[in-house]
Amino acid sequence: MDVFWYALVGLLLAGYLALESADFGVGMLMPFAGTETGRARLRRSIVPFFLANEVWLVAFGGLLFGALPVAEGEVLRALRLPFLAVLTAWFLRDGALWFRTAHEGAGWRRAWDATLAGASLVLAAGWGIVLGVLVRGLSTSSDGHAVVTMADLTHPFTLLCAALAVTGSLRQGSLHAARRLPEGSALRVALGRLTRVLTPVLLVLPLLVVATCGMVTGAPVAVGTAAALAAAGVYASDRVQATGRTGAALLLGATPLAALPAMVGAANGTAVLATRSGVGDVELSRAIADSGSLTLLTATVLPALVLVALGQMWFWRVFAVRPG
């Protein structure tokens, strides 16, 4: 049962990244629009979705605190600097979406458009870095605690995971925005070309993870399988997109983002926080909440998550194809 809660926490994070990847991507594409009309249309393409998608992040944080309280404290302690960057970018991204239309001045809107693009890039790259560090394993401090160092944050494997998150988000953003733009518009055509450029890049990046994971993890087969499935999802997304089924292409195209949390679990097994030396590891048996707390979570959280999932499906069905 302990593994169930650990897997559910990871599933919520994977769901958040899969859904929000389109929002990250559209935000990064703001400078690509070129005109005020294009930028306004890009913004409108994600405004109905980003708050609903963030429910999964709130659920992830809440369940991490409730089901794995020791792990939550240790993870935030070890990764406080990258999490601070991600949290700051989250606030700025949401602020840019809200405040852009609060004033008619061109300079005001350009400033918030730049903020939106930069914050979205930090969000995508930041999550890729955090998860890449967790896959590889953290360093150990002199007092025996897990810590993240600048060398961990800038390791080639970590940066590869960041590139995977950024490229995957850009492709998702271009797919999502294009389906909400008028047929034949110049911006929609340009986003279609961008999608075709990003697809082969996004096929190569997971394969690079497969090629390098043996040098950075103790479970190369499991991690490599998760990365290979991400590449397969991108290929299937491209084939489905060619038939005009953009919704299915978006679903399959989210696999690189969802694969990152899966890679953490594949690399570390039941160690919810792992170091490369093994000193400072937090095992699931120590991190899990007591049985009474888990019983309460079963009665309250699980039904709520089912309702949230159904609500999300309804929300995307209603708003996904409405022109921006």
Side-chain angles (χ1 to χ4, degrees):
M1 197 63 179
D2 293 357
V3 174
F4 167 78
W5 289 106
Y6 181 34
L8 184 58
V9 169
L11 181 62
L12 290 175
L13 180 58
Y16 162 72
L17 293 174
L19 291 168
E20 272 284 83
S21 59
D23 299 339
F24 298 160
V26 171
M28 287 186 280
L29 289 170
M30 290 298 281
F32 188 77
T35 66
E36 169 60 25
T37 300
R39 289 188 292 272
R41 282 177 169 169
L42 285 180
R43 174 189 171 274
R44 286 198 300 270
S45 74
I46 59 173
V47 165
F49 302 100
F50 75 100
L51 286 178
N53 295 340
E54 287 172 354
V55 169
W56 294 96
L57 180 60
V58 175
F60 161 73
L63 192 60
L64 180 64
F65 175 78
L68 303 167
V70 174
E72 188 233 9
E74 290 292 333
V75 168
L76 291 180
R77 179 184 182 278
L79 294 164
R80 55 188 178 276
L81 291 180
F83 271 133
L84 179 61
V86 168
L87 188 63
T88 301
W90 180 21
F91 291 158
L92 288 173
R93 192 284 302 267
D94 286 16
L97 287 170
W98 289 119
F99 296 148
R100 184 184 191 277
T101 57
H103 192 277
E104 292 297 327
W108 171 273
R109 295 193 173 193
R110 282 196 299 269
W112 284 114
D113 288 343
T115 301
L116 175 58
S120 298
L121 175 61
V122 172
L123 274 169
W127 279 112
I129 287 172
V130 165
L131 294 169
V133 167
L134 291 174
V135 171
R136 181 170 172 260
L138 279 69
S139 299
T140 305
S141 66
S142 57
D143 59 357
H145 286 284
V147 294
V148 64
T149 65
M150 187 56 65
D152 295 329
L153 297 175
T154 57
H155 189 274
F157 182 80
T158 304
L159 298 179
L160 177 59
C161 291
L164 180 63
V166 170
T167 307
S169 296
L170 279 170
R171 186 178 184 276
Q172 288 291 93
S174 63
L175 281 172
H176 171 75
R179 80 188 298 220
R180 291 179 57 83
L181 291 170
E183 187 74 35
S185 66
L187 183 55
R188 180 165 179 165
V189 171
L191 290 177
R193 288 197 298 268
L194 179 63
T195 300
R196 291 191 291 274
V197 170
L198 290 171
T199 297
V201 177
L202 197 54
L203 284 169
V204 169
L205 288 173
L207 297 179
L208 288 177
V209 173
V210 174
T212 59
C213 64
M215 296 180 285
V216 296
T217 75
V221 174
V223 175
T225 299
L229 289 174
V234 174
Y235 178 78
S237 173
D238 181 59
R239 295 297 86 206
V240 168
Q241 172 64 16
T243 67
R245 292 179 290 167
T246 308
L250 275 168
L251 181 63
L252 292 165
T255 49
L257 279 299
L260 287 169
M263 286 162 53
V264 175
N268 300 330
T270 57
V272 296
L273 184 64
T275 64
R276 294 189 301 282
S277 67
V279 179
D281 285 5
V282 179
E283 289 292 334
L284 180 59
S285 58
R286 183 166 74 88
I288 199 72
D290 60 86
S291 58
S293 298
L294 294 180
T295 300
L296 180 61
L297 289 174
T298 301
T300 57
V301 173
L302 292 184
L305 289 179
V306 172
L307 292 176
V308 168
L310 292 174
Q312 188 88 52
M313 292 170 60
W314 172 85
F315 195 86
W316 274 81
R317 187 177 183 85
V318 170
F319 291 102
V321 295
R322 186 169 295 177

